[in-house]
Amino acid sequence: MVMPEKGLSNPLNAKLTGSGTETVVLAHGFGSDQTVWDNILPHLSHHFRVLTFDWGFSGAVKEQEGLFDPVKHSSYEGLARDLISLLDELDLKSTVFVGHSMSGMIGCIASVKRPNLFKHLILLAASPRYLNTDGYEGGFGTAQIDQLLASLESDYYGWTANFASLRVQGDPLTIEVYTKCLRTMKPEVALPLARTIFLSDHREILGRVTTPCTIIQTTNDTAVPNSVAHYMRDKIQGKSTIEMIEADGHFPQLTEHLQFLNVLGRILGFEYN
């Protein structure tokens, strides 16, 4: 399907594939682009209409001027408004939203603003807060976040290789792919966005999410402790469940896509063999 050259769909490389009565929206996270779903898309397209796109901060977006605004996108609110605008432009309602990493919370915020756009939220390796605080284990101390941001600012090229290795964990090919993807981002975009991700606190929004949610988590994710998944399940107002994938790392859609497809099949009611 050819997208109309207006609004956000064209500049964000939006694509609709497949067919069916339901639409699944796949939203990538920090440093990646819609190719992160390449192992998943052909299978989902057999059963659903599937929307993929690149966020305005992605290096896959040709002209980022106006699409990533350090002021508008200094919080997830701006990205949630972009998501709502994109769905409205394409006249998509009651979608199944699959949000990886930061996109999970963006989807939560958008669902509070416009519940009619979302039938189900699938939150993949998502977190409302990365910083530890009293009674909450986010996974990072203040000194760790400060060091991460300082390294990004001082040596972006070197930082990307280290960051990719820590987040992917163990799969050399996927580490290489993610490193290359990170390096397509402009450092002047990556730094403020990383500050937004790692220094923000979106725990309050969980109690306002009424859309049914499934939280998908790997058993060993250095970015998101398992306790975060349980915290989110307990705080989300709507019905929420947890699905665990026996794997390391933050990218099961790349490193363990067969397990991920089996989980999606259970959630969405299709068989994958």
Side-chain angles (χ1 to χ4, degrees), residues 27 55 76 79-80 83-84 97-99 101-114 118 121-123 205 209 211 213:
W55 288 112
Y76 287 174
L79 291 160
L83 175 61
I84 290 168
F97 179 81
V98 183
S101 198
M102 65 180 289
S103 284
M105 291 311 301
I106 294 168
C108 286
I109 294 168
S111 77
V112 171
K113 293 179 178 294
R114 291 282 302 280
F118 304 93
L121 300 176
I122 298 177
L123 311 176
I205 201 73
V209 175
T211 303
C213 297

Side-chain angles (χ1 to χ4, degrees), residues 23-273:
T23 300
V24 175
V25 180
L26 301 177
H28 67 82
F30 175 80
S32 57
D33 56 39
Q34 63 183 275
T35 62
V36 77
W37 306 111
D38 281 357
N39 291 333
I40 306 301
L41 183 58
H43 305 282
L44 284 182
S45 297
H46 284 304
H47 305 278
F48 307 97
R49 188 166 55 157
V50 184
L51 172 65
T52 55
F53 67 97
D54 299 311
W55 288 112
F57 58 76
S58 170
V61 171
K62 293 180 181 179
E63 298 294 335
Q64 287 186 318
E65 185 175 356
L67 292 176
F68 181 81
D69 183 330
V71 176
K72 175 185 176 182
H73 298 118
S74 63
S75 77
Y76 287 174
E77 291 277 341
L79 291 160
R81 291 198 298 271
D82 288 348
L83 175 61
I84 290 168
S85 296
L86 180 62
L87 297 181
D88 279 344
E89 180 185 336
L90 299 175
D91 195 27
L92 299 177
K93 297 179 178 66
S94 195
T95 66
V96 175
F97 179 81
V98 183
H100 178 234
S101 198
M102 65 180 289
S103 284
M105 291 311 301
I106 294 168
C108 286
I109 294 168
S111 77
V112 171
K113 293 179 178 294
R114 291 282 302 280
N116 67 311
L117 298 181
F118 304 93
K119 175 183 178 180
H120 196 114
L121 300 176
I122 298 177
L123 311 176
L124 175 62
S127 175
R129 177 184 168 98
Y130 290 92
L131 272 171
N132 300 329
T133 189
D134 291 343
Y136 175 82
E137 180 191 8
F140 295 87
T142 301
Q144 289 175 286
I145 296 295
D146 289 345
Q147 180 58 48
L148 183 154
L149 296 174
S151 298
L152 190 161
E153 188 170 18
S154 64
D155 178 16
Y156 185 66
Y157 189 85
W159 175 85
T160 56
N162 184 55
F163 187 78
S165 180
L166 288 172
R167 295 299 163 259
V168 175
Q169 291 181 252
D171 181 10
L173 180 59
T174 305
I175 291 171
E176 181 181 356
V177 169
Y178 184 46
T179 301
K180 288 180 179 178
C181 205
L182 277 167
R183 288 174 179 171
T184 65
M185 286 184 74
K186 297 177 180 178
E188 61 269 27
V189 170
L191 181 58
L193 184 59
R195 287 195 180 110
T196 295
I197 293 167
F198 289 105
L199 298 177
S200 61
D201 186 349
H202 295 99
R203 290 177 294 169
E204 177 273 336
I205 201 73
L206 297 174
R208 297 161 58 196
V209 175
T210 58
T211 303
C213 297
T214 303
I215 300 157
I216 303 179
Q217 179 79 22
T218 64
T219 50
N220 182 28
D221 183 346
T222 58
V224 184
N226 291 341
S227 59
V228 170
H230 293 277
Y231 178 91
M232 293 174 65
R233 180 195 60 192
D234 294 343
K235 296 296 184 181
I236 289 170
Q237 183 177 344
K239 180 181 178 181
S240 61
T241 58
I242 297 173
E243 292 277 355
M244 299 300 297
I245 293 177
E246 292 285 340
D248 296 332
H250 196 61
F251 289 84
Q253 70 271 53
L254 291 174
T255 59
E256 295 290 343
H257 74 279
L258 299 182
Q259 280 198 66
F260 183 54
L261 278 167
N262 280 323
V263 171
L264 287 180
R266 290 199 300 272
I267 298 167
L268 301 179
F270 69 90
E271 289 188 7
Y272 173 73
N273 296 313

